[in-house]
Amino acid sequence: MKKKFKLLLLLIFMLGPVVVCASENYVNYYGIEMNEEEYANLLGLGFTEDEIYHMESEEFNANKDIESSLEAVSTKYYVSTSRYDSLGRVVFSNTTEVSEAEYNDSSIMTRNGTAEIETAYKRMTTTISQAGTKYRYKVTLTWKQMPKVRSYDIIAIGLEPALVFKNSSVTFNQTYCISNNCTNTATYSMANHSIAGAGVSFKLPTSTSITGLRSYFYYDVSKEYDGTLEVMYADGDYAHATSSITAGNATGFYVNQVGIMLDSGIASYYDSISSAEAEWNGSW
């Protein structure tokens, strides 16, 4: 007899309520059935319960059989405060790191006369996982409140020179929900790869009815040399466009060891946050 796969009957996530019944197998939003071992492999690769719930078949099949373990996690919380004039144009924008307690207690938006002050909170998590004979770097950005400006954002991960990433493993996903209907997209405008990391620029959905918005990006890494590696750093980073920018201009960035570097011509279009650095210590 198979061991039953027990989960909480009710899981509440950023993207809405999820009802899961204890049974032999777990079934997600898209009707994909997975056993306990497959589910554990996905968690070990840094996927959250909510990401697994909204995972489609192609990504599930590519990851379900990878024996994995979650080795390092780093989470940071941020608040972006922007002031808009009566025509909706940004006149001031600033993003700072805040505590988890402030993030959890945050409100949505305040208004002042004809001007509007938006206070939007977001959470970024970077993970390092052992994935078979390789390691995987992953970063996830989750919006607690939907940002007013929905243009071309950038998500990336930097890595140290001792490692190289596998181009074919580079994966991007964006999930957003309107009421109880959720949509996944793997579409991005441009991918930027370098010896120090990789990232993509992508368009945020523009619907005003979105109730949940999350993006994640990952790739697998291998060693550049035959020696023993005792420490690894994965620097997850995200740049949100606080002013509208074209797809072509949003490609003006590169990725180095500590994250996203913007060309001088587009730096003023984006906020700037500290990267979420996951640190692994061991022997590889």
Side-chain angles (χ1 to χ4, degrees), residues 43-151:
L43 290 175
L45 289 171
F47 294 106
T48 65
E49 292 170 323
D50 185 51
E51 290 166 1
I52 297 171
Y53 182 72
H54 291 95
M55 184 175 290
E56 295 192 57
S57 59
E58 183 177 355
E59 187 169 28
F60 170 71
N61 289 328
N63 290 281
K64 65 183 178 67
D65 296 321
I66 300 175
E67 294 184 5
S68 59
S69 60
L70 189 60
E71 299 290 326
V73 180
S74 175
T75 299
K76 288 190 175 183
Y77 305 87
Y78 312 89
V79 58
S80 298
T81 303
S82 301
R83 179 183 290 274
Y84 302 86
D85 63 18
S86 58
L87 298 177
R89 297 173 299 194
V90 177
V91 295
F92 170 82
S93 183
N94 184 56
T95 300
T96 57
E97 187 176 342
V98 297
S99 66
E100 181 180 4
E102 179 177 340
Y103 174 86
N104 290 334
D105 294 339
S106 63
S107 58
I108 298 177
M109 185 180 291
T110 58
R111 296 176 182 272
N112 181 14
T114 58
E116 183 178 273
I117 300 175
E118 177 196 55
T119 304
Y121 286 79
K122 54 194 174 187
R123 178 183 73 243
M124 184 164 64
T125 298
T126 306
T127 60
I128 299 175
S129 299
Q130 185 170 4
T133 59
K134 302 181 180 64
Y135 282 82
R136 175 170 294 181
Y137 286 9
K138 180 174 178 289
V139 60
T140 301
L141 193 289
T142 303
W143 290 94
K144 187 171 185 181
Q145 295 93 23
M146 301 306 101
K148 180 181 179 67
V149 176
R150 314 277 183 85
S151 193

